Amino acid sequence: DAGVTQSPTHLIKTRGQQVTLRCSPISGHKSVSWYQQVLGQGPQFIFQYYEKEERGRGNFPDRFSARQFPNYSSELNVNALLLGDSALYLCASSLGPGRPYEQYFGPGTRLTVT
Amino acid sequence: AQTVTQSQPEMSVQEAETVTLSCTYDTSESDYYLFWYKQPPSRQMILVIRQEAYKQQNATENRFSVNFQKAAKSFSLKISDSQLGDAAMYFCAYPGANSKLTFGKGITLSVRP
């Protein structure tokens, strides 16, 4: 079975630009979460979506937005990029939003803002 | 809000020996889970082991086991018979409401051949 997939693998953008990152969950998983991982740090929670509805949001500015599609794939959008947005963006999927459900992570998208 | 603290940034272990990675956390909840994740240089984060707070028995998964001290809010990971493939960053994580994971800063484990 295919795991969580993310695209693109790497991305280089300029300050002020906008970026869209994509995630496809494991088949049958209806919950998708996004995390930002700055080099050398632990991942920070950005968003969680379940059944196309936002279920949780971390402490990130409104420049960050996301959505989930009917096939449960998800997009993370970041507007007006700042140098500090450079990070590894991880997507995780799970069967549901409850805490016993294991989250399976994708390989991530490495975003570099210059 | 929950917090997770990993105070050791790096550790090194000789192949075939045992190493213990430390983690402390803070929560006001009485029933919860705790996870250890491994992130190899290839970046894919994988779950190593989980502990349910209501269970007295420490979780074990092959060479990986935990020492869960609920009163002390301590959750350490022991890796026995260390292998070269164990080299990675290890994160302690607390799943909060809606599975939101709160991670520690992580520890880089190197394994010496």
Side-chain angles (χ1 to χ4, degrees), chain A residues 48 97-100 103 105, chain B residues 29 39 44 50 91 98-99 101:
Chain A
Q48 187 198 45
R99 68 179 76 199
Q103 292 193 42
F105 284 83
Chain B
E29 297 178 313
Q39 188 177 39
Q44 193 110 19
R50 74 166 69 192
F91 294 95
N98 290 328
S99 308
L101 288 169

Side-chain angles (χ1 to χ4, degrees), chain A residues 25-80:
Chain A
I26 292 171
S27 177
H29 285 193
K30 297 181 178 180
S31 179
V32 170
S33 298
W34 288 95
Y35 293 83
Q36 181 196 64
Q37 186 178 16
V38 174
L39 190 63
Q41 299 291 318
Q44 296 290 316
F45 172 77
I46 309 175
F47 284 110
Q48 187 198 45
Y49 277 77
Y50 176 66
E51 291 280 16
K52 302 182 289 296
E53 291 188 1
E54 183 183 306
R55 287 297 195 97
R57 182 184 183 115
N59 188 24
F60 281 81
D62 291 343
R63 300 184 295 107
F64 288 77
S65 63
R67 56 180 176 169
Q68 187 177 34
F69 298 98
N71 66 352
Y72 302 110
S73 66
S74 178
E75 286 183 350
L76 175 70
N77 296 285
V78 187
N79 294 322

